[in-house]
Amino acid sequence: MINTSKRALSLVLAAGIGLTATAALSTETLQDVLKRRNLSQQDLLAAAKTYVPTGKRDEFVTFSSGGQSGQVIVYGVPSMRILKYIGVFTPEPWQGYGYDANSKAVLDQGKIDGKTITWGDTHHPAISETNGEYDGQFLFINDKANPRLAVIDLRDFETKQIVVNPIYKSEHGGAFVTTNTEYVIEAAQYPAPLENKKFYPLEEMNEKYRGGVTYWKFDRKEGRIVPKDSFSFELPPYWQDLSDAGKGPSEGWAFTNSFCAERYVGGIEKGRPPYEAGCSAKDTDYLHVMNWKKAAEVVKAGKAKKINGHNVIPIDVAVKEGLLFLVPEPKSPHGVDVTPDGKYIVVGGKLDTHASVYSFEKIQAAIKAGKFESKDPYGIPVIGMKDALHVQVPLGLGPLHTQYDSKACVAYTSLYVDSQVAKWDYCAGKVLDKLSVHYNIGHLMTMEGDSTKPAGKYLVALNKLAIDRFVPVGPLHPQNHQLIDISNDKMQLLYDMPLPLGEPHYAVSIAASKLKPGVRYKVGTDSRTDKPHPGAVRAGEERTEKKGNKVTVWGTLIRSHITPETIEVDVGDEVTIHLTNLERAQDETHGFTVSTYNVHASIEPGKTVSVKFKADKEGVYPYYCTEFCSALHLEMMGYLLVKPKGWKPTKVGLAKGTYTEADYKATVKKVADTQAIIDSVVAYITSVNYKDFPDVVAMVEDAFDQLGKTKGLKEKHEAFAAKKDWEQANLWAEQIWQYQVKTADLGLRAKTYLEQNGAKKIK
Ligand code: RUQ
Ligand code: CUA
């Protein structure tokens, strides 16, 4: 005797049991699989080193630039499984980023000269540091094309702030943080006049065009950059490239390499040799050595000038105050990476086969002794290369970037032209190992590899070309991140990961255990400001107001309904809908959209967001939840009714259903049967040590929360039954069942979890 309710529930049950039933039936041996898939022992070893079984998690989390997508890609190491895309400089529909009013406000901070820019050329992410170690609190990333920098809070992996650089037209060398994240460093790339929208002909390159390095002040408590306390160095029109902050003995200093110190002006169309020839003609370029700690004091003392309202330290002031020095670097260098102990600065040769290791101690000795070989054309003292070098190591063709191992003195440098990673000893100056990668590696990254305590273990090669590595998908290939095991003397290539979202220039990895993101917001939080959202309401406080042509809705979402379920407006009204997700349960996100009005929100538990639009066309527009949040997800909807001018209702009241007393009684019976199942699940859960499983405790809490919503509904349906209003009586009884189904769903999930994770009977 199975009635409909039992059948419906047994469906839920079957889903739980199914998992256990399919697990064991494989009869193939490991040898069979190796043969069938044509895999070698070496392949198997690589697989075993990267495979993360279901239910287990990665040891490290990588934040990769999303390149031209203007986003950040988050993936796990060693599994190389993608975990998230974070919308940063560009709209990201799933997260509602750029489709709800609150996230639009963040994107609007990135407007330049009033123009919305809908892409970003993200290059270098940086994780916030405390004492030079990654602390897992914030992530920064730059946009090269449109000189901008973004702040992402790692409590919720959301972009909180975008700042536009007020004096640059491009910026390549960001983001790099100082040892306690006092500042985020961002260097210009292509010289231009620092004043906004100022024209000077290229003939005035040397006089009127400038480069620079910006130090953005970061307020960790607020989690925001403070533009008024930030400053820049005015620099000669050398093409400032990447930067790195000093640490340990070199703390308080920072280093920025450059190329095209020739200050060459091309013009291939006028018969002049192109930039590529003119910018690499001389044998050396310059490493900029800057004392940022002292520079901050100089700015405080009022010695900076303002350009576009921003503090800029003029070159002559920087020289006079002893803030700025140059050291020659071999031809067109690339990358600058301070060693974990802060004693050395490694610069890649790019067009020179060496990596140059500069000694901070020697640089300081030269500065103290006033021992300079010359001055550059702008009066900046130049320290002799031999007075600053510790060692130069021939690594191969096209050395670019360097990362460090947990083992002392061990570094890894990408060799672009050779398509190799070189492992070498920067203390003794010798090469230890080389490994081919596929192909033309740009950056490379070891775990926590630019902190004071690199974690070793793995290295990721960020290759610029994939060529033949993946199934062809047309002329535009995916990018190839290759995972390499560096725990032994010889490097071992483990895995090729295609990334199809844009050229990911650089990435940073942090121990997963250092990240502590939340699973819910405090109810009513605007996640983009971290403040209480003025549009938040609690259950029962939902309302709609119309003032003039402005309609405001204060709504809520919870499995499986949106309150309100109808919104009536007149054509032409400005509509604002505030939505609060009342859920407390982990992962119970609801989405929200209104048909054809180009709005969308992702509303995680506790979050409040607003969507705004002009109801500029009359008609009937369903709105609904866009996340498959529960069995009754499809029913989580309502209607926006946009009434024409002067419309008057002709019919009053909704059509009645045809429910009978028998329907009502069947529903009441269904409710009682379901309750019996819930009781049996509860009996099981409480008979074991479920309190030892935090995930289960949360599920049980959520289950009782759902069941709690049936409060008062029994009295309600009984009262309608007494009045023989079978429609109302039946539907309110049905509503109890809806909550019971959600309760049972959670209860069964908890039961399965307990069974699979070895819960023990308690007396
Ligand atoms: S630098 S091209 Cu990161 Cu090698 Cu941008
Ligand atoms: Cu909420 Cu679907």
Side-chain angles (χ1 to χ4, degrees):
M1 274 247 335
I2 294 182
N3 63 25
T4 41
S5 65
K6 278 248 171 78
R7 212 175 294 135
L9 259 179
S10 55
L11 275 177
V12 186
L13 266 168
I17 295 162
L19 256 176
T20 356
T22 47
L25 295 173
S26 165
T27 51
E28 267 185 319
T29 67
L30 190 55
Q31 288 307 323
D32 294 336
V33 177
L34 289 186
K35 213 168 137 200
R36 176 165 62 78
R37 298 203 59 219
N38 196 18
L39 299 173
S40 66
Q41 286 291 334
Q42 187 76 356
D43 294 332
L44 190 66
L45 191 64
K49 285 181 180 186
T50 60
Y51 181 61
V52 176
T54 178
K56 297 252 165 66
R57 293 177 187 173
D58 280 302
E59 189 180 352
F60 296 96
V61 173
T62 299
F63 296 91
S64 170
S65 140
Q68 296 86 337
S69 73
Q71 300 176 6
V72 164
I73 307 164
V74 186
Y75 61 81
V77 167
S79 76
M80 308 302 271
R81 296 184 295 202
I82 292 179
L83 300 168
K84 190 164 209 161
Y85 297 130
I86 306 173
V88 183
F89 294 109
T90 53
E92 201 293 304
W94 184 37
Q95 296 155 33
Y97 191 59
Y99 302 90
D100 70 64
N102 306 92
S103 61
K104 265 186 192 163
V106 175
L107 277 168
D108 281 351
Q109 296 168 11
K111 284 187 178 177
I112 297 182
D113 302 325
K115 244 202 189 89
T116 300
I117 292 169
T118 53
W119 83 292
D121 190 13
T122 56
H123 272 240
H124 308 103
I127 294 171
S128 58
E129 294 179 9
T130 302
N131 295 324
E133 290 181 52
Y134 292 174
D135 57 35
Q137 293 182 5
F138 297 94
L139 183 79
F140 309 93
I141 192 159
N142 69 319
D143 171 3
K144 171 174 170 170
N146 321 289
R148 302 183 291 179
L149 193 85
V151 180
I152 297 155
D153 193 328
L154 294 178
R155 282 175 305 181
D156 60 0
F157 287 52
E158 283 200 352
T159 303
K160 306 286 177 168
Q161 185 186 22
I162 296 174
V163 288
V164 177
N165 194 297
I167 55 172
Y168 301 152
K169 294 294 175 289
S170 62
E171 59 98 347
H172 179 219
F176 301 94
V177 298
T178 55
T179 36
N180 283 294
T181 323
E182 298 94 337
Y183 291 93
V184 186
I185 306 174
E186 182 191 40
Q189 177 107 87
Y190 304 120
L194 300 183
E195 307 94 324
N196 251 337
K197 292 177 277 182
K198 186 89 182 174
F199 173 79
Y200 294 108
L202 284 162
E203 286 75 13
E204 293 181 54
M205 169 70 72
N206 294 353
E207 299 77 33
K208 299 292 191 192
Y209 287 51
R210 288 291 178 267
V213 174
T214 299
Y215 290 77
W216 287 108
K217 178 74 192 150
F218 185 61
D219 180 338
R220 190 188 285 266
K221 226 179 105 242
E222 291 293 314
R224 300 292 185 277
I225 280 167
V226 189
K228 73 169 177 37
D229 296 338
S230 306
F231 64 89
S232 297
F233 278 80
E234 175 200 13
L235 293 176
Y238 310 147
W239 299 14
Q240 284 80 30
D241 198 30
L242 297 191
S243 303
D244 202 3
K247 45 189 106 166
S250 53
E251 199 190 332
W253 292 75
F255 313 92
T256 301
N257 73 312
S258 66
F259 56 104
C260 205
E262 293 86 351
R263 296 173 290 163
Y264 182 70
V265 176
I268 199 167
E269 68 294 336
K270 293 176 183 153
R272 284 173 61 76
Y275 279 103
E276 59 176 316
C279 275
S280 49
K282 285 205 321 184
D283 280 341
T284 55
D285 290 284
Y286 290 122
L287 176 68
H288 299 63
V289 176
M290 279 163 284
N291 186 337
W292 63 259
K293 251 195 190 148
K294 201 165 164 200
E297 286 163 23
V298 166
V299 173
K300 251 202 197 121
K303 293 177 190 164
K305 64 175 178 187
K306 296 265 183 194
I307 301 181
N308 307 328
H310 173 73
N311 298 312
V312 178
I313 305 174
I315 296 176
D316 57 339
V317 174
V319 170
K320 203 171 113 222
E321 300 284 339
L323 310 176
L324 175 63
F325 305 91
L326 300 173
V327 187
E329 308 168 301
K331 214 183 191 47
S332 300
H334 194 60
V336 51
D337 296 282
V338 176
T339 56
D341 59 13
K343 290 185 183 165
Y344 302 107
I345 303 125
V346 178
V347 174
K350 194 165 82 178
L351 298 187
D352 179 282
T353 54
H354 296 84
S356 298
V357 184
Y358 294 92
S359 155
F360 183 71
E361 206 182 311
K362 286 188 177 177
I363 291 173
Q364 286 305 306
I367 292 172
K368 274 213 188 83
K371 193 176 178 218
F372 304 114
E373 68 172 21
S374 62
K375 286 191 168 183
D376 86 333
Y378 300 86
I380 307 170
V382 180
I383 301 168
M385 200 189 311
K386 60 177 186 328
D387 293 330
L389 268 181
H390 164 63
V391 67
Q392 281 188 311
V393 187
L395 295 180
L397 296 181
L400 298 183
H401 300 282
T402 298
Q403 287 270 292
Y404 301 99
D405 203 329
S406 53
K407 297 166 199 140
C409 297
V410 175
Y412 302 85
T413 297
S414 49
L415 303 177
Y416 178 85
V417 179
D418 275 341
S419 289
Q420 283 187 322
V421 173
K423 175 180 179 177
W424 58 291
D425 181 322
Y426 60 84
C427 302
K430 62 168 195 261
V431 174
L432 303 171
D433 187 26
K434 282 196 185 182
L435 181 78
S436 291
V437 291
H438 313 86
Y439 301 90
N440 298 91
I441 177 173
H443 279 272
L444 77 183
M445 171 212 40
T446 55
M447 305 299 101
E448 306 202 349
D450 53 27
S451 73
T452 51
K453 295 235 174 70
K457 295 190 181 186
Y458 303 102
L459 180 150
V460 176
L462 286 77
N463 304 305
K464 298 293 183 198
L465 303 180
I467 307 180
D468 56 3
R469 301 307 280 191
F470 304 112
V471 173
V473 288
L476 179 63
H477 295 232
Q479 295 277 312
N480 187 13
H481 281 200
Q482 285 184 306
L483 182 69
I484 294 163
D485 178 3
I486 55 166
S487 48
N488 303 300
D489 288 343
K490 286 224 122 318
M491 294 179 275
Q492 186 195 354
L493 182 57
L494 300 179
Y495 190 76
D496 284 21
M497 179 211 208
L499 274 177
L501 199 71
E503 186 196 336
H505 289 265
Y506 185 42
V508 283
S509 282
I510 182 171
S513 58
K514 286 189 184 172
L515 295 171
K516 308 250 181 316
V519 296
R520 68 181 70 84
Y521 294 98
K522 193 161 173 251
V523 178
T525 302
D526 174 347
S527 68
R528 299 296 170 175
T529 60
D530 305 320
K531 304 225 159 68
H533 191 301
V537 286
R538 312 221 152 231
E541 296 172 352
E542 300 90 348
R543 64 187 198 280
T544 301
E545 263 174 25
K546 179 164 160 117
K547 275 192 191 145
N549 70 337
K550 291 198 167 47
V551 176
T552 308
V553 179
W554 287 264
T556 61
L557 305 103
I558 194 154
R559 275 158 291 169
S560 309
H561 50 266
I562 300 167
T563 307
E565 296 194 333
T566 12
I567 300 171
E568 290 183 44
V569 305
D570 298 305
V571 69
D573 282 352
E574 306 277 350
V575 183
T576 302
I577 307 174
H578 305 300
L579 296 156
T580 302
N581 182 343
L582 298 175
E583 305 281 357
R584 292 193 31 79
Q586 175 157 320
D587 204 13
E588 272 303 335
T589 293
H590 300 289
F592 181 85
T593 188
V594 183
S595 162
T596 71
Y597 274 101
N598 199 34
V599 289
H600 183 236
S602 169
I603 314 136
E604 295 84 40
K607 193 192 250 190
T608 301
V609 300
S610 310
V611 296
K612 289 188 183 182
F613 57 92
K614 187 176 175 175
D616 51 6
K617 41 186 187 173
E618 62 186 57
V620 174
Y621 304 94
Y623 52 85
Y624 66 93
C625 170
T626 59
E627 282 283 328
F628 207 107
C629 52
S630 59
L632 278 306
H633 150 75
L634 294 173
E635 288 78 356
M636 196 164 175
M637 63 82 65
Y639 280 108
L640 168 73
L641 304 167
V642 184
K643 297 178 288 187
K645 286 230 150 54
W647 182 83
K648 290 264 162 357
T650 46
K651 275 190 177 175
V652 184
L654 293 168
K656 283 257 177 203
T658 52
Y659 298 103
T660 63
E661 184 174 5
D663 293 326
Y664 171 63
K665 289 208 163 129
T667 306
V668 170
K669 170 137 187 354
K670 180 169 79 170
V671 166
D673 291 343
T674 308
Q675 192 56 45
I677 293 174
I678 291 172
D679 291 345
S680 78
V681 173
V682 169
Y684 166 78
I685 291 173
T686 52
S687 76
V688 299
N689 59 335
Y690 82 95
K691 288 193 176 149
D692 295 339
F693 300 88
D695 285 343
V696 173
V697 172
M699 280 186 240
V700 169
E701 234 173 64
D702 187 26
F704 280 111
D705 192 43
Q706 289 295 326
L707 202 59
K709 295 188 197 312
T710 61
K711 211 173 144 247
L713 293 181
K714 185 162 187 277
E715 291 74 11
K716 215 167 182 171
H717 72 69
E718 286 174 352
F720 279 113
K723 285 190 275 178
K724 298 197 186 315
D725 184 339
W726 303 121
E727 161 146 337
Q728 291 282 325
N730 184 41
L731 293 181
W732 283 115
E734 186 70 27
Q735 181 58 27
I736 296 181
W737 192 68
Q738 296 305 334
Y739 286 121
Q740 286 180 318
V741 170
K742 287 161 208 155
T743 308
D745 175 18
L746 286 155
L748 291 166
R749 210 187 304 159
K751 183 167 179 262
T752 309
Y753 186 104
L754 289 167
E755 285 164 353
Q756 288 178 348
N757 286 280
K760 288 191 204 60
K761 282 266 171 220
I762 48 168
K763 291 135 266 201

